[in-house]
Amino acid sequence: MGDLSGYKGGALRLLRDAGASIGDVIEIRTDFGTVTGTLVPRYLYGDGEHVVLKLKSGYNVGLGLSGLAKAKVLSKGEKPSFSPPASPRAAKGLPRVLILGTGGTIASRVDYRTGAVSPAVTAAELDSLVPELSEIAKVQPELLFEVFSENMTPQHWTRLAKRAAKAVGEKFDGVVITHGTDTLGYSAAALSFALAGIPIPVILVGSQRSSDRPSSDAPLNLVAAVTVAAEGSFSGVYVAMHLGESDDKVAFHGGTRVRKNHTSRRDAFSSIGVPLAAVFGRSGLEHVAEGLPARGGSFKPRPKFDGRVALLKFYPSMPGGLVRAARRSGVKAIVIEGTGLGHVSREVSSELGRFVKAGGLAFMTSQCINGRVDLSVYDTGRDLLHVGVQPLEDMLSETALVKAMWVLGTGASGSKARELMASNVAGEITARTFPG
Amino acid sequence: MRDKEGLLVGLEIHQQLAIPTKLFCACPPVKTDEFPYHFERRLRPSQSETGRLDPAAVFEYAKGRSNRYYWSPESACLVEADEEPPHPMSGAGLEAALLVGTVLGSQLVDEVHVMRKIVIDGSNTGGFQRTAVVGLGGSFEVNGGRVGVQSVTLEEDAARILGEDSESRHFALDRLGVALVEVSLDPVRGAPEHVGEVALHLGRLLRSTGRVARGLGTIRQDLNVSLAGGKVVEVKGVQKLNLLPRVVEYERKRQSMLIGVAEKLREKGIRKVSCRHRDVTSLLGASSSGVVRRAVSEGGVVHCIAADGLAGLLGWEPEPGVRLGKELAEVARANSLGGVIHSDEFERQGLTGAEAAALAGAMGADHECALILVAGRSEAVSRVVPLVEARAAEAPSGVPPETRAATDSGETRYMRPRPGSQRMYPETDIQDIEVGDEVRRRLEREAPLPWTESVERLQRAFTLSRDLALKVYDSETTGEFEALAARLGLEPSFIASVLVDLPARLEREGVPESAVGLGPLTASLEAVAAGKVAKEALPEVLKASAEKGVTVDQAIRSLGLGVVTEEYVSRVVREVVGRQTKLVAERGEDAFSPLMGEAMKELRGKADGSMVARLLRRELGLARSGEGSTGQNGG
Ligand SMILES: [Zn+2]
């Protein structure tokens, strides 16, 4: 039986009886007359009452089953074979860049016959879609795994960190990681800790507009990321995304201080409380912040994470039971996102105290996003300090969560873990807060 | 004979729908003049599954220009900026399109699937237009013949182009996303005028639904024109209906010329036009041709293309205004160069015989070989030369499949190669929409009377001439007209002519049509009905009201046109008769006409003609005739 993906119910029976598969040209007779077109897949949640045909004009139409008398296959479809346009030959002596795929499609092409979008996997495919790359570096794409960014776990971070660390030994000049944008910030923080001190740049890159559309932000972000991976003077973990709405500049954000602040805009990512690490423009790297670590040096990856950490957001009337529930679910550390300078209600405060007493770690960040927590100003804060909740300065909540997982992953516990949380490992804590 | 040429014209009408929002967001479909924000993008041709790139897409990308978008929160949001996914499709828009399909007798689809149609000229920020078929098939009748409908689609309009320069194209986002219904017709055979009639008929049919927008710029026609033995040429953007026949006629001439060129080449046994080119800047640096000299003095270059076999054919003009040379120049112009100079016009362009000879020598050209000069900035010239060569090489195959734009003068000019087919894939951000039986039944109930019947009804109910009834129908003031006729007790044909004829007449006298809206027209009719001013004075009153920006009543007063009393009119009439007692004695009843003329000289604009006639009759002892009749039926 041929492929009939998405079809079910009466529609599936009708098509199966006619011997049709996706891509075939079929004729469907309805009450009104005859419609001829290419059978295209039905989307996952479509009903079983309609058949979708792509007309010769390119349009898809859904035809209701109630009016269908018959379906007939006119000609079998042929799977189009892919022959990429010749890509420009890479010049000798170019830097080498490893491009790790995680499931986000940074480059793809469309099967206009069925509407399917397929990602570019090989170097040739990537080169043919973004030909500029071959002038910048000799790229080696590698699909590490395929998950939606929201399904990413600490195990995925570990695999990414190990592969990137291995690239140092393989003499790659830099690593680019293509990643869905939803949890891009978390992964960037995770790699920042796991790869602290890495002698080459590791750039995470995503896109807010899917790569199948001509207006995608993916190609420019990718070109910028590969450029910095290949020839940037600095090392460390960064996120490369559009600086504004225009296709002219790409911002590089430090991996522990970056946050997705908009659901859909190209410039959704911002650096919080720190200046941009670098800006890539029409003429290449236009700006590099002072004090970024230079390339080189030796390092030892620490790629393990312990996922038993909870991130709770305090809100008015939050029941203390939520903290108890976290403890009962086996959580060893809680990052609580308090209001303002880092406050929670008396009820939540005393529950946190009980959690700490029982051997848990409790950390305070602020839901203000910008600024620094301070538990010494008000009584509430002093109470929290007293029961053992540790303030995390200006660390972002998401970064704090990831860092706690990493700290536990190093095997540290108790005061040793608290010490590590308080020390600046990868730029996650700044000593001074600046305007803007 | 045109018929022998096999002229076929496929018409696509794009009509804006009258709904309060755009198709995929809540922005109002309004025009904006000031744009506080802008951003810049580049569109990349997307690759198909087979690795092929669309020729039209590559053409646009190769031009290397970016697109600059200007927008205002008044008329656009993040959806138009391609910074937010589209919102669900406007239900009102979908219903309007389905109603159009119903009226045309189309088979409505059971499930509407929104597609992305790749458009890479920058007019869509996403690089595609969202469009969906809502109906297939259908037909309507024009002058006794049936015209078939291919499809009815619902789509979003493109961004409005503001201008372009060598670096970017500039677009406004106010029009982007406005809901349009597109009706594609089966190709129509016959004279260009017939195409105009079909479009006019379809336009009325669309307006009969009451769901489409009015006014200039709300309707746009695209054409697919072909001749027997040629290829289909797509002509975009005919905005005025009366230009349609001219555009079709121009395309017929142009394509006929191209087929003629191909025939001439075949007669000469030339199957392939091969081209070569070289830089001839040093040869022509001090040229006597102004165009060339200017390009060189501005630091540009001149390249010469030698095209074998085309000598004499570039300037060949079988019908006025169509030449192959012009086609080559359009390719250059579409790529921001001024045009080309070819050997059939060297003399006219100021090149000397010596220069021509030097060029021929340098290019190794024989007498069958045409020379084409491309001058301008070096970067642009190297981009354009291969395109001009490619166009010249197409000469043996006659009409190339192109997309062209209609000009305001009714000609067409080259835009880009025709897009490859099937550059469409599903818009995954919008769910498929089921069209239920309930909706179909309701639309069938709501389907309006055919417009022809509406016009006939106007004729019958108000004793209007067909011409006037059509004008009322077309001006879309039927409702207002009927209300005024019922309310004011004035002659319906008078009301109709004030509503539909007067604005056009005033425009000819220099009063912009927009300044004479329904408001002033209604007010002036009310003034007539109330006896405040005479019918005859309306043009003057409306003109004054528009020019001075005052109300109709103020205009009446400022012109001193307030209607005089019947007593005053009687006095004037009596004076006129008193002055002409001799005439009255000699001619009796026949004196009415000259006396009426004399009285009106004094009373025009102040008193209604019928009142003057009535009082004059009374004065002459002919008072038995009825009011309003100026006929000489005294008896
Ligand atoms: Zn909008």
Side-chain angles (χ1 to χ4, degrees):
Chain A
M1 198 189 82
D3 170 30
L4 287 170
S5 39
Y7 285 98
K8 53 193 172 207
L12 179 63
R13 275 195 300 281
L14 179 94
L15 293 170
R16 203 194 283 136
D17 292 350
S21 2
I22 305 289
D24 291 353
V25 176
I26 70 170
E27 177 190 278
I28 283 185
R29 207 175 292 271
T30 73
D31 296 349
F32 295 92
T34 305
V35 179
T36 303
T38 305
L39 184 67
V40 297
R42 185 124 177 95
Y43 71 98
L44 195 56
Y45 299 107
D47 62 25
E49 315 288 313
H50 293 84
V51 170
V52 187
L53 292 190
K54 185 180 197 65
L55 307 177
K56 204 164 159 249
S57 59
Y59 282 96
N60 288 7
V61 295
L63 301 168
L65 206 53
S66 56
L68 301 184
K70 242 188 216 149
K72 193 168 106 191
V73 176
L74 298 182
S75 63
K76 296 302 283 181
E78 278 169 47
K79 185 109 186 104
S81 65
F82 175 64
S83 50
S87 60
R89 188 174 304 237
K92 282 223 170 72
L94 282 178
R96 292 173 64 227
V97 172
L98 176 66
I99 300 185
L100 296 177
T102 65
T105 59
I106 193 87
S108 57
R109 47 176 205 280
V110 178
D111 183 353
Y112 291 104
R113 199 180 49 119
T114 59
V117 176
S118 37
V121 180
T122 68
E125 286 171 333
L126 200 57
D127 272 352
S128 77
L129 285 164
V130 191
E132 298 96 311
L133 293 182
S134 58
E135 289 167 23
I136 306 166
K138 193 169 165 7
V139 299
Q140 180 180 316
E142 211 177 285
L143 187 61
L144 206 53
F145 44 78
E146 273 187 283
V147 292
F148 287 131
S149 118
E150 56 272 28
N151 293 332
M152 205 75 85
T153 64
Q155 283 73 47
H156 292 107
W157 299 338
T158 299
R159 284 174 66 190
L160 268 174
K162 282 183 173 165
R163 183 63 192 91
K166 198 166 148 233
V168 176
E170 292 167 345
K171 300 278 176 266
F172 278 101
D173 295 278
V175 178
V176 169
I177 299 169
T178 66
H179 197 293
T181 55
D182 275 9
T183 64
L184 184 61
Y186 294 85
S187 295
L191 293 177
S192 299
F193 297 118
L195 300 174
I198 190 166
I200 57 172
V202 174
I203 315 296
L204 290 102
V205 63
S207 69
Q208 286 283 80
R209 294 276 86 76
S210 60
S211 56
D212 54 271
R213 48 175 99 202
S215 64
S216 175
D217 50 335
L220 180 62
N221 291 346
L222 186 61
V223 165
V226 170
T227 304
V228 167
E231 58 200 40
S233 58
F234 47 91
S235 61
V237 178
Y238 304 89
V239 168
M241 290 291 287
H242 267 48
L243 177 66
E245 314 179 80
S246 292
D247 284 332
D248 55 355
K249 287 179 165 39
V250 174
F252 285 77
H253 307 276
T256 55
R257 300 223 52 100
V258 61
R259 197 170 189 284
K260 186 176 186 181
N261 280 338
H262 198 280
T263 57
S264 61
R265 284 175 63 132
R266 286 167 172 73
D267 56 359
F269 284 83
S270 318
S271 286
I272 308 293
V274 294
L276 292 176
V279 175
F280 175 90
R282 291 264 154 79
S283 52
L285 264 183
E286 288 178 353
H287 163 81
V288 178
E290 281 174 35
L292 298 184
R295 280 180 183 259
S298 62
F299 100 114
K300 195 174 169 296
R302 286 187 283 179
K304 287 209 186 90
F305 295 88
D306 182 336
R308 287 173 293 176
V309 182
L311 171 58
L312 297 181
K313 182 177 189 134
F314 171 75
Y315 54 91
S317 89
M318 179 183 197
L322 284 183
V323 177
R324 282 199 300 280
R327 194 177 72 198
R328 261 185 248 119
S329 74
V331 154
K332 294 169 78 180
I334 292 175
V335 176
I336 182 121
E337 206 178 67
T339 55
L341 289 167
H343 299 144
V344 296
S345 65
R346 193 170 301 142
E347 184 187 348
V348 171
S349 176
S350 46
E351 278 301 335
L352 287 171
R354 254 168 246 142
F355 176 65
V356 173
K357 219 172 225 167
L361 297 165
F363 304 107
M364 179 62 70
T365 60
S366 172
Q367 49 192 254
C368 290
I369 298 174
N370 287 288
R372 193 178 295 270
V373 293
D374 193 329
L375 300 186
S376 321
V377 180
Y378 295 105
D379 285 347
T380 316
R382 289 191 280 269
D383 288 347
L384 281 162
L385 282 177
H386 180 73
V387 300
V389 174
Q390 183 182 351
L392 292 182
E393 302 275 336
D394 64 343
M395 204 187 299
L396 297 178
S397 305
E398 298 84 358
T399 300
L401 169 85
V402 172
K403 187 176 181 186
M405 290 179 177
W406 174 75
V407 165
L408 294 177
T410 62
S413 63
S415 60
K416 191 126 185 285
R418 274 196 285 272
E419 224 168 85
L420 198 46
M421 278 306 281
S423 66
N424 182 21
V425 175
E428 71 277 18
I429 297 170
T430 71
R432 299 161 71 203
T433 319
F434 297 101
Chain B
M1 271 296 287
R2 284 169 186 179
D3 256 12
K4 251 192 282 171
E5 293 185 305
L7 176 66
L8 267 184
V9 182
L11 198 58
E12 286 171 11
I13 291 205
H14 305 256
Q15 166 74 63
Q16 188 184 324
L17 295 172
I19 57 171
T21 66
K22 295 189 179 181
L23 193 53
F24 293 109
C25 69
C27 290
V30 294
K31 191 166 177 285
T32 307
D33 296 313
E34 275 173 37
F35 305 99
Y37 307 109
H38 69 84
F39 57 89
E40 200 164 337
R41 296 268 169 75
R42 291 205 66 185
L43 294 175
R44 210 168 255 269
S46 46
Q47 208 176 60
S48 76
E49 186 64 14
T50 56
R52 263 205 315 267
L53 293 162
D54 187 31
V58 171
F59 172 79
E60 292 293 345
Y61 191 69
K63 286 199 279 192
R65 285 185 296 185
S66 66
N67 305 303
R68 221 162 224 268
Y69 299 100
Y70 299 81
W71 69 282
S72 158
E74 277 176 20
S75 54
C77 65
L78 286 190
V79 174
E80 288 91 332
D82 189 43
E83 288 275 48
E84 181 173 297
H87 301 190
M89 181 191 272
S90 150
L94 178 57
E95 281 222 13
L98 289 168
L99 184 61
V100 167
T102 305
V103 167
L104 290 168
S106 304
Q107 172 189 353
L108 301 185
V109 302
D110 299 297
E111 221 176 40
V112 175
H113 289 245
V114 179
M115 306 297 288
R116 295 173 175 172
K117 187 195 231 171
I118 298 292
V119 181
I120 204 134
D121 64 4
S123 62
N124 288 76
T125 47
F128 53 77
Q129 176 195 33
R130 296 187 184 92
T131 171
V133 163
V134 301
L136 293 169
S139 68
F140 57 94
E141 222 171 86
V142 181
N143 301 338
R146 288 206 89 67
V147 178
V149 173
Q150 288 182 343
S151 62
V152 178
T153 55
L154 175 58
E155 61 187 25
E156 52 179 10
D157 205 346
R160 190 157 59 85
I161 187 146
L162 298 172
E164 54 188 308
D165 50 48
S166 55
E167 261 111 58
S168 10
R169 283 173 183 245
H170 305 262
F171 294 96
L173 294 191
D174 51 357
R175 208 183 65 187
L176 181 63
V178 167
L180 305 178
V181 64
E182 182 203 68
V183 179
S184 310
L185 302 182
D186 285 339
V188 173
R189 204 174 286 281
E193 296 73 34
H194 180 52
V195 178
E197 277 170 28
V198 169
L200 184 66
H201 189 103
L202 181 55
R204 285 184 178 135
L205 197 146
L206 292 176
R207 287 196 296 275
S208 75
T209 63
R211 309 273 182 103
V212 303
R214 324 163 163 193
L216 187 69
T218 60
I219 192 160
R220 197 168 69 227
Q221 274 98 181
D222 292 348
L223 302 167
N224 290 309
V225 185
S226 65
L227 295 183
K231 297 234 172 53
V232 177
V233 172
E234 193 178 14
V235 182
K236 293 248 176 225
V238 185
Q239 293 222 2
K240 284 191 176 162
L241 208 53
N242 54 14
L243 275 185
L244 260 186
R246 264 153 79 188
V247 170
V248 173
E249 172 59 12
Y250 179 81
E251 263 308 299
R252 184 203 59 75
K253 284 195 309 198
R254 194 187 68 86
Q255 295 182 19
S256 169
M257 174 275 294
L258 291 173
I259 293 171
V261 167
E263 267 164 22
K264 282 173 177 283
L265 286 171
R266 207 172 312 127
E267 281 163 17
K268 289 192 199 173
I270 298 170
R271 280 156 196 274
K272 191 168 163 281
V273 170
S274 45
C275 297
R276 57 197 177 275
H277 68 265
R278 55 173 292 188
D279 189 329
V280 293
T281 318
S282 56
L283 267 179
L284 292 177
S287 173
S288 34
S289 158
V291 181
V292 171
R293 214 170 43 233
R294 209 169 314 124
V296 175
S297 71
E298 285 167 6
V301 296
V302 190
H303 283 208
C304 184
I305 299 167
D308 286 333
L310 288 185
L313 289 176
L314 294 175
W316 180 57
E317 199 173 68
E319 290 180 82
V322 289
R323 299 175 304 279
L324 183 57
K326 194 173 165 186
E327 308 277 308
L328 301 184
E330 284 172 2
V331 171
R333 268 183 225 122
N335 286 278
S336 55
L337 279 186
V340 301
I341 302 173
H342 58 79
S343 40
D344 292 351
E345 55 171 17
F346 273 177
E347 218 182 297
R348 200 155 46 80
Q349 291 290 339
L351 268 90
T352 61
E355 283 169 337
L359 280 173
M363 299 304 296
D366 60 16
H367 67 283
E368 288 280 13
C369 177
L371 299 178
I372 304 151
L373 297 177
V374 183
R377 285 179 302 113
S378 163
E379 165 274 324
V381 168
S382 10
R383 198 151 39 80
V384 166
V385 163
L387 297 172
V388 171
E389 286 185 337
R391 178 64 191 89
E394 277 180 302
S397 50
V399 184
E402 295 171 339
T403 299
R404 303 180 65 84
T407 66
D408 291 340
S409 58
E411 295 194 353
T412 68
R413 65 176 165 74
Y414 175 78
M415 278 171 84
R416 53 172 179 256
R418 271 199 76 164
S421 57
Q422 308 216 334
R423 295 282 158 175
M424 262 196 229
Y425 67 110
E427 168 54 279
T428 42
D429 296 341
I430 302 284
Q431 291 213 356
D432 309 331
I433 306 160
E434 196 174 349
V435 181
D437 286 341
E438 196 188 313
V439 176
R440 284 159 204 274
R441 279 196 296 273
R442 184 160 50 77
L443 289 170
E444 266 161 37
R445 280 198 306 275
E446 283 174 18
L449 273 185
W451 68 265
T452 43
E453 284 179 34
S454 303
V455 170
E456 279 159 22
R457 195 186 58 81
L458 276 176
Q459 277 182 266
R460 273 197 315 274
F462 299 97
T463 47
L464 298 183
S465 67
R466 178 164 173 83
D467 184 49
L468 203 48
L470 260 178
K471 280 186 188 163
V472 170
Y473 185 80
D474 283 345
S475 70
E476 298 186 34
T477 51
T478 307
E480 290 85 351
F481 162 74
E482 290 186 13
L484 288 170
R487 181 156 68 86
L488 298 182
L490 296 170
E491 190 75 29
S493 61
F494 170 68
I495 296 177
S497 70
V498 167
L499 289 179
V500 301
D501 283 340
L502 205 49
R505 195 179 126 193
L506 289 170
E507 189 169 31
R508 284 196 295 275
E509 291 173 17
V511 185
E513 215 170 325
S514 56
V516 192
L518 208 53
L521 289 172
T522 306
S524 68
L525 283 166
E526 281 166 349
V528 172
K532 285 193 220 161
V533 70
K535 282 179 193 172
E536 290 78 3
L538 285 195
E540 210 183 327
V541 169
L542 284 164
K543 201 169 168 181
S545 148
E547 281 168 358
K548 295 181 187 152
V550 297
T551 66
V552 166
D553 281 345
Q554 285 165 334
I556 293 171
R557 257 175 275 134
S558 73
L559 289 169
L561 284 177
V563 167
V564 293
T565 58
E566 187 162 331
E567 199 182 317
Y568 175 79
V569 176
S570 304
R571 199 165 68 231
V572 173
V573 167
R574 224 173 295 132
E575 279 165 20
V576 169
V577 174
R579 281 202 295 273
Q580 299 287 359
T581 43
K582 203 174 147 210
L583 185 76
V584 175
E586 276 170 24
R587 296 177 58 181
E589 288 176 22
D590 290 346
F592 178 85
S593 281
L595 291 174
M596 182 70 190
E598 204 175 319
M600 285 309 285
K601 234 184 262 168
E602 286 182 42
L603 292 165
R604 184 170 309 279
K606 296 181 183 167
D608 188 73
S610 58
M611 185 208 282
V612 180
R614 176 165 54 80
L615 295 173
L616 179 58
R617 276 204 193 83
R618 196 170 66 191
E619 194 59 30
L620 292 174
L622 305 168
R624 278 172 304 276
S625 56
E627 192 178 39
S629 157
T630 51
Q632 298 179 22
N633 59 344

